[in-house]
Structures are given as C-alpha cells and as structure tokens.
Amino acid sequence: MKQSFLDFEQPIADLEAKIEELRKVTADSEINIAEEIERLEAKSRQLTEAVFSKLTAWQIAQLARHPRRAYTLDYVQRLFSDFTELHGDRLFGDDPAIVGGIARFENRPVMIIGHQKGRDTKEKLHRNFGMPKPEGYRKALRLMRMAERFQLPLLTFIDTPGAYPGIDAEERGQSEAIARNLSVMAELCTPVVCTIIGEGGSGGALAVGVGDRVLMLQYSTYSVISPEGCASILWKSAEKAADAAEALGITATRLHQLGLIDGIVPEPLGGVHRDVDQAAEHLRVALQEALSELAEDDLKRLVEARYQRLMRYGEYTE
Amino acid sequence: MTSSRMSWFEKLLPSRIRTDARGKRNIPEGLWTKCPACGGVLYRAELERNLEVCPKCGHHSRLRARQRLSQFLDPEPHMEIGAELRPVDALKFKDSKKYRDRLAQIQKTTAEKDSLVVIMGQVSGIPVVAAAFDFAFLGGSMGSVVGERFVRGVNTCLEHRIPLVCFSASGGARMQEGVYSLMQMAKTSAALARMSRERLPFISVLTDPTMGGVSASLAMLGDINIAEPKALIGFAGPRVIEQTVRERLPDGFQRSEFLLEHGTLDLVVDRRQMRHCIASLLAMLTHRSLSLLSAPAKTDSIGRE
C-alpha cells in the first residue's frame, strides 16, 4: 500500500520513492541490487528515527489527524472478539460519530465506547468527521449505565476534533449532554479506562474521557481548544497554530510530565499508520495492564480513588 | 485645580472644607448612563436601584461577581470561601503576552484574584453557599482556581448540608491553563454529582454569557436551571457555528428563551424577581417555611475579606 507523507516527512518520502524505483528496476532486469535497496532501507529507517525523535507539538498534531491513522473500529477489530455494536440514545436517534457495544477483551466481557471518524468522503460525512451531537453522548451515557448495571469494565477510545458546533446540536442541548456524562462517569461503579488514540478535542473528548486510567498513544493530542482555534483567538491569526500547539502543551509527553495522564502507549516508528497491527498490540498490553490493576480494587474504593484524583486536578497557590 | 488658581478666599479655608467644596463643583462622571440595548438615557442611581436592569426596556446589564452576590444574599453573615487561592502559570503560557502578565494586569483592574467568588451566607434566612463568575476577569474563564473554589464551595455545602446557588457568566475554559482548565469541567461536575447523591439542592443561574466549558459542565447540572432574560447560552460560540454550517443563525438562537423552548432550562426569571424566586424554591426543596421578613437586597458591593 502506498504511504502518504506529511510535509515534515518529505526527506523520508524522497528516499522511499527512490527505493520503490529501484525495486521496479530489479523486477525488470537481471541486475541484483538487493544490497543497495537494503542499504537505502536502513538509511530510511535512520532518517525516520531522526525526524521522529524531535517532533514539534504541531507535527504531532498532524500525525494525530493523519488521514491513514487507525480509528476506534480498527482497534476494535484487532483487540476484541464478539463485538456487537449497540445503537441509539432511546431519545432522538443514533449518532454514527460515536460507536459503542459489548465485546470480549482477552475473553472477558467489556463495554466499548469510542469516537469514530470516516475513511473516505462518504463515510467522513456519515460520521460527521467524528464530531458527536447530543444523541451521541446520550448513547454513550446509556451504554455507561448498562456497563455499570452488568459489571462490565468500560473502555473508551477518544478521537474527535470536538463536539459538533451546529444549530441542531445546540437545540438538543450539547452542553447538557456533555455535562451529564462528566458527572455520571465520575461516579460510575465499574472500572473505566480511557485511551486517546488520535485527537482529544476539548469537552467533546472529555465527555467520554473521565476514568480511573487515562492513556494516550504516543502521537495523539489532548487539548482544551484546537491549536488553530487558540491561535485565532489569542494571536488573532490561525497561522500561528504551531505556536499555539507548543504553548497549550497538547502532547502525550508534556501531559504525562504534568501528571494529567497516566501512561503513554508507544507507536510504531513513523506513527500508527505505518503498522496498525503492531500499534494494536502495544495498546493491548497497555489495556491489559490497566484492567488487571483496577480489577484488584473493590468498586467502592475504586470510585472514591477516581473522585480524589479528579479533585487533585489543578495548579494554584494559597 | 492648581493652587495658583485658588482664590484668596479658598486659601483661608481649612483644607478639609476646601476639598469638600471642590468635590461639589465637579459634576460626577457617570451620573447619567445610556442603555446599551434601547439607547434610553438613564439616571445612574435609579439603574442601580433597579439592579442594573433598564427600567425602559428591561435589558439586563452584566454584573460584577460581588455586585451579584450582594444583590442576592442577605446583608450578613458572609464568609468568603477560597479567597486565599491564587492562579499560577503552570504552563509558562505566552501568546502576544505572557499569561503571568495578563493575570497581574487583570487582577489590578478588577481587584479580584480570579474569576469566581464564593460566599457562604443566607438568602431570606436560608443558609446557602452562593458562587458568582466575574466576566470582567478574563471573560469569566474557568481555570484551576475557579475549579478549586467551586469544589470548596460544594464541600462547605456537604459539611453543613446546605444548598448551592451558582451564577455563571463565562466564555468557557481558560486556554492559558491548557488541559488543567479542561479538567476543571470534570472536577466541578464530579463534585456536583456528590452533592446530588447527598440530596442537596443545586440551583444554577445562567447569565449573559454562559458558553463553552462552563456551560458544558457545572452550569447545566442544576437540579433547577434558571436563566436571566435574553442571556447568550450555549456550547459553541455563534461565530464558530456560523462558520461551520455556513448559514445565518435563526433569530434569538442560543438566547434564554430559545433554550427554555427547547427544554434545556426550567425558568427564565427577571433579575428583580430572582432573589425571591430562588429563596422560595430553596425553602420548598429544604422543607422550610419562608420568612416573610426577608431583608431587601443591598445594591452596593460586598467588600473583600
């Protein structure tokens, strides 16, 4: 499959193109240049390592939004068995920007909720670019309560630019839908593990993001506002998005340093899209670890610990 | 006035009297004011007596936090909660200006340390904790101090088993505090969940404007949600929505009356009836009889402790 490269990956792209060309030549002729290809591949790996060892926050934001990045259902397919998708909020409709359902993880039944983006134009529109409306959050709420009732651990996957800013969403109470989820998740009597797999866009992400463990994939982002939005408000120019991304501290490394997330799940060299299977395996290990830690606690203590953890968020002096 | 221009007579007067005389000659600035909604010329003192509601068109002007609480609470007793909390610049955030400098400047001009004021007091004799956002302080944005003050307010309610009333006026989360500010949504909502489990009433009053992260957390979680007339209330800002959907927004979109019609609010209440309305509701929710001797609202501001 053809790779797609971001701007800052141009040197890697050039090298890969050269390798591809050589491969064609080898196929056409008798000359054996396998050695040369091997040498170039090693060089490409080194170059990728070099580029990826010093990514800026803005470059990471682009990776988090990469058109070929794995979405919730890509992981569901690889990590879970017997997944049965459940639909609808029982009030208004079904929001395709959020998927959810029951499945088995390592043989154990769990509840899954995640944002879902679309791959091609048609699906993108159908999924509303992963921007949920109130009915999406209310479907999630229904599934959370079901998870609690049947003692299923809840695993959420976060990947959204934000809650949908539209007329219909406002009419149906976007704010209330988000707020309700925050208050219910805080007291949900079952283990909750949240993983940011791509974009963690503000309140729209947090509305399925309150848990006992919050993990981030290495090149995912979590932010109170998009870098572009922040730049246009504070710098009066969306072109300052790179500066805003840096200032907002949206990367996994920075947020882990600040104590705002619990763990970072490593990605394959070059990002998830270079090897989704490997990325899924890393995620499997991280989820197993989190779930087995949480399984040891009794539920009352678990919920109390979650509450205390929420109360600790914040930096101030007295 | 310079001393060279003083008449011989003024020079003879003791300085205290002289000052008084000079003060009287200047007509105070802002004796008259113009209503931003109807353009009517209003007598400042009358507007104040009317709780900053235009007597001609009913326009509700924005209030500062302490002004709001002094209108709402009985004159005493007052105990401020979390006044000692100060914001910090945990991210070393800098745009065209450093966040630290922005804070210092706004603290000076508003005489507040952050954008939420929380006071334990009484309303018509009913003990309550009342919180109010100060929109003049960085757009009433919610950062770590706001979250912590709010939670301490909730904890006071839990401790004394008394209700909470919060007047919100906010543009949303405080960008300069990054994900810390986002987490205040979760923190305040979690505290309110506990309050709800303990069956203590929370009345949320949404005033102009209540948007973004504040709207999508504490402000929408009232047992009873009340708004002032024509307040702008919503998740996304109207400009962002207009850019997204590329159409003109309907008249009255995201205004209190629109939200009432769509089932998001219980009531839209005029500021001049707010105190009585909330006192009456709280009395019923807490099974008390409402004292008929409720003190009238003061119009001057509550002082800092």
Side-chain angles (χ1 to χ4, degrees):
Chain A
M1 202 191 286
K2 229 175 142 56
Q3 289 288 355
S4 61
F5 292 96
L6 298 167
D7 284 351
F8 64 88
E9 295 178 291
Q10 202 48 51
I12 307 168
D14 293 344
L15 202 54
E16 290 286 330
K18 210 162 158 189
I19 294 169
E20 198 58 31
E21 225 165 82
L22 277 178
R23 278 216 183 91
K24 269 187 210 148
V25 174
T26 336
D28 293 349
S29 71
E30 310 267 297
I31 323 159
N32 189 347
I33 38 177
E35 224 169 80
E36 174 67 4
I37 289 177
E38 217 167 88
R39 197 184 63 78
L40 285 176
E41 275 176 341
K43 198 176 163 196
S44 166
R45 223 173 7 253
Q46 275 168 17
L47 188 61
T48 311
E49 271 165 23
V51 170
F52 276 72
S53 67
K54 44 178 197 288
L55 292 175
T56 64
W58 179 236
Q59 288 168 338
I60 290 173
Q62 288 166 280
L63 281 167
R65 300 170 181 171
H66 197 288
R68 302 246 325 267
R69 199 169 172 84
Y71 301 145
T72 295
L73 290 175
D74 296 313
Y75 292 111
V76 169
Q77 189 197 336
R78 287 169 174 81
L79 298 179
F80 300 89
S81 57
D82 298 341
F83 174 62
T84 310
E85 189 177 345
L86 303 174
H87 294 272
D89 67 348
R90 301 293 187 269
L91 298 163
F92 177 80
D94 183 44
D95 186 350
I98 286 190
V99 294
I102 308 173
R104 284 181 187 276
F105 178 67
E106 311 289 296
N107 230 7
R108 181 181 180 180
V110 296
M111 183 67 81
I112 299 170
I113 294 170
H115 298 99
Q116 182 64 34
K117 292 179 176 174
R119 199 58 71 184
D120 56 29
T121 309
K122 200 177 147 201
E123 202 201 349
K124 279 190 171 104
L125 288 171
H126 175 61
R127 303 279 185 194
N128 200 25
F129 304 88
M131 295 186 286
K133 297 181 180 181
E135 50 272 27
Y137 293 118
R138 289 176 184 140
K139 167 168 69 179
L141 182 67
R142 183 171 76 84
L143 299 183
M144 289 171 197
R145 288 190 158 136
M146 197 194 298
E148 181 180 61
R149 202 154 54 244
F150 299 110
Q151 292 304 295
L152 308 172
L154 174 63
L155 301 176
T156 74
F157 300 96
I158 294 163
D159 187 16
T160 180
Y164 182 59
I167 295 175
D168 53 344
E170 295 287 326
E171 283 174 341
R172 293 196 287 278
Q174 187 74 291
S175 286
E176 194 275 342
I178 294 171
R180 189 65 53 200
N181 284 13
L182 299 180
S183 80
V184 169
M185 288 190 95
E187 300 214 308
L188 203 69
C189 209
T190 193
V192 183
V193 179
C194 312
T195 311
I196 299 154
I197 57 172
E199 286 182 276
S202 192
L206 186 64
V208 295
V210 180
D212 303 301
R213 294 285 185 281
V214 179
L215 310 174
M216 276 178 82
L217 259 56
Q218 192 176 358
Y219 304 128
S220 64
T221 56
Y222 199 8
S223 183
V224 66
I225 184 171
S226 72
E228 292 92 334
C230 179
S232 67
I233 296 170
L234 291 181
W235 279 263
K236 316 277 177 223
S237 153
E239 277 154 33
K240 295 283 186 185
D243 295 330
E246 203 64 53
L248 284 164
I250 61 176
T251 65
T253 323
R254 187 84 193 279
L255 292 168
H256 194 243
Q257 281 164 0
L258 296 172
L260 289 165
I261 59 160
D262 304 293
I264 303 176
V265 184
E267 294 192 21
L269 181 62
V272 165
H273 58 285
R274 298 291 187 93
D275 190 345
V276 179
D277 291 336
Q278 199 197 329
E281 280 315 304
H282 290 161
L283 183 54
R284 182 197 303 278
V285 173
L287 291 178
Q288 263 172 349
E289 205 178 280
L291 280 180
S292 64
E293 277 169 25
L294 297 173
E296 285 168 19
D297 232 339
D298 88 358
L299 287 175
K300 219 173 155 189
R301 266 214 312 271
L302 183 82
V303 173
E304 182 57 29
R306 188 187 307 148
Y307 187 81
Q308 292 310 331
R309 166 195 160 86
L310 289 168
M311 293 306 119
R312 279 195 298 274
Y313 286 135
E315 285 286 319
Y316 47 81
T317 59
E318 4 193 342
Chain B
M1 185 183 289
T2 57
S3 60
S4 63
R5 287 186 56 213
M6 269 186 199
S7 70
W8 62 271
F9 177 69
E10 280 175 311
K11 278 181 189 159
L12 287 177
L13 291 169
S15 64
R16 183 171 46 83
I17 298 175
R18 201 156 64 215
T19 312
D20 285 351
R22 221 163 46 199
K24 264 181 200 160
R25 225 178 297 152
N26 293 333
I27 295 171
E29 280 285 319
L31 187 60
W32 296 90
T33 186
K34 208 170 176 183
C35 171
C38 70
V41 177
L42 309 170
Y43 186 44
R44 184 73 243 158
E46 192 195 345
L47 188 61
E48 269 168 36
R49 272 195 302 278
N50 212 34
L51 308 183
E52 305 288 330
V53 177
C54 172
K56 291 182 176 155
C57 72
H59 173 75
H60 285 52
S61 292
R62 286 175 187 166
L63 296 178
R64 297 291 306 277
R66 286 178 199 277
Q67 206 180 359
R68 170 76 68 182
L69 293 175
S70 69
Q71 280 185 8
F72 177 67
L73 290 168
D74 297 348
E76 52 190 17
H78 286 170
M79 193 193 80
E80 188 163 351
I81 298 166
E84 64 283 9
L85 298 172
R86 302 277 185 278
V88 294
D89 179 15
L91 296 180
K92 306 267 173 285
F93 194 99
K94 181 171 176 283
D95 47 90
S96 56
K97 211 171 183 180
K98 285 183 185 159
Y99 176 45
R100 230 163 41 120
D101 296 344
R102 250 183 228 278
L103 276 175
Q105 192 192 13
I106 202 71
Q107 285 172 339
K108 207 170 152 199
T109 54
T110 60
E112 293 294 346
K113 295 299 176 200
D114 213 311
S115 65
L116 186 77
V117 178
V118 186
I119 289 178
M120 179 162 77
Q122 297 185 348
V123 56
S124 299
I126 305 168
V128 292
V129 170
F133 280 81
D134 203 333
F135 193 76
F137 191 104
L138 298 179
S141 55
M142 178 161 68
S144 293
V145 169
V146 170
E148 182 64 20
R149 282 185 182 168
F150 188 86
V151 165
R152 290 191 188 183
V154 169
N155 289 343
T156 305
C157 292
L158 291 168
E159 190 189 330
H160 298 271
R161 298 205 59 82
I162 58 176
L164 175 69
V165 179
C166 178
F167 296 86
S168 42
S170 172
R174 190 171 299 164
M175 286 175 285
Q176 293 91 341
E177 294 189 20
V179 173
Y180 285 112
S181 70
L182 184 65
M183 290 306 149
Q184 303 314 306
M185 293 172 67
K187 180 171 172 172
T188 54
S189 301
L192 287 173
R194 188 152 284 197
M195 223 168 127
S196 174
R197 184 152 47 88
E198 291 294 319
R199 302 177 190 217
L200 297 170
F202 168 43
I203 295 186
S204 174
V205 184
L206 298 91
T207 76
D208 186 62
T210 299
M211 304 298 292
V214 170
S215 159
S217 62
L218 62 98
M220 283 295 170
L221 292 173
D223 292 297
I224 298 173
N225 292 337
I226 304 177
E228 286 193 331
K230 295 194 177 129
L232 185 72
I233 301 163
F235 177 67
R239 254 178 313 166
V240 175
I241 297 174
E242 220 157 32
Q243 281 163 15
T244 309
V245 301
R246 296 184 190 286
E247 54 182 289
R248 256 188 63 93
L249 302 175
D251 279 345
F253 179 66
Q254 292 185 317
R255 296 285 167 185
S256 308
E257 297 71 17
F258 174 93
L259 274 84
L260 182 68
E261 198 177 304
H262 284 89
T264 304
L265 299 173
D266 292 285
L267 298 156
V268 176
V269 176
D270 188 293
R271 186 179 293 162
R272 291 160 291 188
Q273 274 82 55
M274 189 68 79
R275 184 183 143 81
H276 180 74
C277 171
I278 293 175
S280 159
L281 284 168
L282 286 180
M284 290 189 275
L285 289 172
T286 58
H287 298 268
R288 291 163 174 270
S289 59
L290 187 60
S291 156
L292 294 173
L293 297 169
S294 74
K298 282 201 312 178
T299 49
D300 58 329
S301 249
I302 290 175
R304 255 156 303 282
E305 304 204 338

